Each structure stands twice: as C-alpha cells, then as structure tokens.
C-alpha cells in the first residue's frame, strides 16, 4: 500500500467477514492507540475490547440495533477519563525534567485543570479520544483491517452495561473492526483541496 493510499482508501465498513482478527494485529492497533498524542500528555482514555459473540450482540442492541456491531470481529470502546487532575503531577514527575521545569508546568497548567467543571472535563477528554480514534482507524487500515467508528449508541445504557463510575470515566466512541466483505470500495466524496485548505 502506498503511504498516501493508507488515508485515501479508508472507509466505514458495515459488511464484515465472519473471521477472527489476528491477535497480534489487534494488539498492535491498541498499542498505536495507546501511543496517541494528547493534550498535556494526559492520555485521558481507556480502551475496552469486546470479541465475545454474546456481548457483541448485547452491545448491538445498545447501539440502536446496528447489525455490524454484532457482525464485526471486535469492538473497541473508547472511554474518556475525567480523573486526569488526580494523576497529572505524578505522570509529569515520571518525565525526564528538572524540578524547576516540573514546577513551571505545574504552575502553568494546574490552574487550568482546576478550573474545569464536570462538563468542561468531559468536553476536554472527549477531544482527546478523537485523536486516539484516528490512530485506531488508520493503523487498522494499514493492516488491511476494516473499521467503522460508531457514535450512535445509548450512552446511559452503555455506561451501565460497562458498570462505569461516570464521575471518573465515560463512554465516548466505539469502533467496529474486522475483515471487509465488500467486493469494491465505495466512492469517496470529499470537498476539493482548495475548498478546505487556505494558505495565509
């Protein structure tokens, strides 16, 4: 695959083969998601992997009965962590920095993090989840694994299903993964380059 083709030919697949993913490929996708960049290096996410057939069927009901949720090989549920204030300093101190630099960053960023209310924490963490989503989509495509990002689900039911403490973490996105059963790629329709890019 040409490097640019990796981005040109990804699409949202809803027609998956009944075939298990290579376990190492799945692990590599999750590792690339883990390595995604995030604001302040907070990594405010967790990844819940579902491959069990019964659980996929149950999740399909929560996802508005979308058939590809139960027919895919695996699901990755991206959770957004809201407890980043609790671990920011500890995480910062694990980096190779002088105490002076650490204090400078604490003085700069802690007031911002402390100022966030619950809704603002959700918005902030959800933004980071979409960075991890992109990593999952394109790393899977590089491995010839099809994907479909899913935002259509009953959030309350999903968080209850996962038994989440929603003061600390929330369900943000789901990605269905598997081998495509489509015979041809759908036509990609995007705005022309000059319509969306402006050089100042």
């Amino acid at each position: 695959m040409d490097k640019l083709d990796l981005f040109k030919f990804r699409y949202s697949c809803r027609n998956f083969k009944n075939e298990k993913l290579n376990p190492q490929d799945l692990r590599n996708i999750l590792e690339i998601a883990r390595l995604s960049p995030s604001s302040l290096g907070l990594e405010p996410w967790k990844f819940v992997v579902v491959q069990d057939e019964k659980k996929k069927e149950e999740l399909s009901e929560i996802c508005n009965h979308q058939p590809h949720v139960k027919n895919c090989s695996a699901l990755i549920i991206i959770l957004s962590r809201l407890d980043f204030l609790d671990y920011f300093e500890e995480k910062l101190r694990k980096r190779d920095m002088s105490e002076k630099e650490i204090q400078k960053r604490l003085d700069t960023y802690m007031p911002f993090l402390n100022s966030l209310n619950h809704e603002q924490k959700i918005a902030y963490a959800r933004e980071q989840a979409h960075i991890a989503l992109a990593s999952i989509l394109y790393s899977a495509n590089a491995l010839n694994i099809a994907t479909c990002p899913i935002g259509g689900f009953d959030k309350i039911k999903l968080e209850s299903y996962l038994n989440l403490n929603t003061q600390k973490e929330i369900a943000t996105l789901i990605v269905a993964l598997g081998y495509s059963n489509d015979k041809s790629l759908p036509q990609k329709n995007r705005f022309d380059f000059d319509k969306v890019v402006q050089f100042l």
Side-chain angles (χ1 to χ4, degrees):
M1 183 181 289
D2 180 88
K3 289 179 182 177
L4 194 56
D5 288 347
L6 173 65
F7 303 95
K8 281 183 177 178
F9 298 121
R10 199 219 70 81
Y11 73 102
S12 290
C13 178
R14 293 171 177 82
N15 182 19
F16 293 102
K17 292 179 181 178
N18 182 18
E19 190 176 335
K20 297 286 187 186
L21 291 179
N22 178 303
Q24 188 58 53
D25 284 346
L26 179 57
R27 187 172 183 87
N28 288 341
I29 291 166
L30 292 161
E31 176 66 1
I32 290 167
R34 185 185 72 85
L35 294 172
S36 299
S38 61
S39 176
L40 307 185
L42 288 172
E43 304 169 58
W45 48 54
K46 288 183 182 176
F47 307 103
V48 178
V49 183
V50 181
Q51 299 179 85
D52 179 81
E53 296 299 326
K54 185 173 186 298
K55 288 185 173 68
K56 286 189 294 176
E57 190 165 346
E58 291 166 348
L59 287 166
S60 177
E61 293 179 16
I62 293 172
C63 294
N64 304 318
H65 303 277
Q66 296 180 67
H68 49 287
V69 173
K70 66 179 178 182
N71 296 333
C72 68
S73 302
L75 296 166
I76 299 175
I77 304 171
I78 305 177
L79 306 182
S80 293
R81 294 186 64 173
L82 310 178
D83 62 342
F84 43 80
L85 190 58
D86 297 339
Y87 63 78
F88 174 55
E89 182 172 353
E90 178 186 355
K91 203 166 185 305
L92 191 60
R93 290 189 176 279
K94 290 181 178 178
R95 298 175 71 174
D96 185 20
M97 283 190 254
S98 67
E99 183 62 27
K100 182 179 178 182
E101 181 61 28
I102 289 171
Q103 282 303 319
K104 179 182 175 183
R105 294 192 181 209
L106 288 173
D107 292 343
T108 301
Y109 300 126
M110 283 298 271
F112 163 69
L113 296 177
N114 275 311
S115 74
L116 300 176
N117 61 31
H118 187 67
E119 289 72 26
Q120 289 169 328
K121 285 179 180 177
I122 290 173
Y124 184 67
R126 280 176 58 88
E127 287 177 358
Q128 313 309 309
H130 286 81
I131 301 173
L133 170 66
S135 296
I136 291 169
L137 298 181
Y138 287 115
S139 61
N141 204 48
L143 295 168
N144 293 313
I145 294 170
T147 54
C148 184
I150 297 162
F153 53 83
D154 188 315
K155 189 172 182 298
I156 294 172
K157 285 184 180 178
L158 180 57
E159 289 169 347
S160 175
Y161 184 86
L162 297 172
N163 196 28
L164 300 183
N165 176 351
T166 55
Q167 291 301 304
K168 293 188 173 182
E169 54 190 6
I170 60 166
T172 295
L173 293 159
I174 301 175
V175 188
L177 302 96
Y179 299 108
S180 175
N181 203 28
D182 290 319
K183 303 306 178 192
S184 60
L185 293 176
Q187 183 180 1
K188 192 178 287 290
N189 182 14
R190 295 291 188 269
F191 286 118
D192 291 340
F193 185 91
D194 292 335
K195 290 271 189 184
V196 296
V197 179
Q198 179 181 1
F199 294 95
L200 294 181

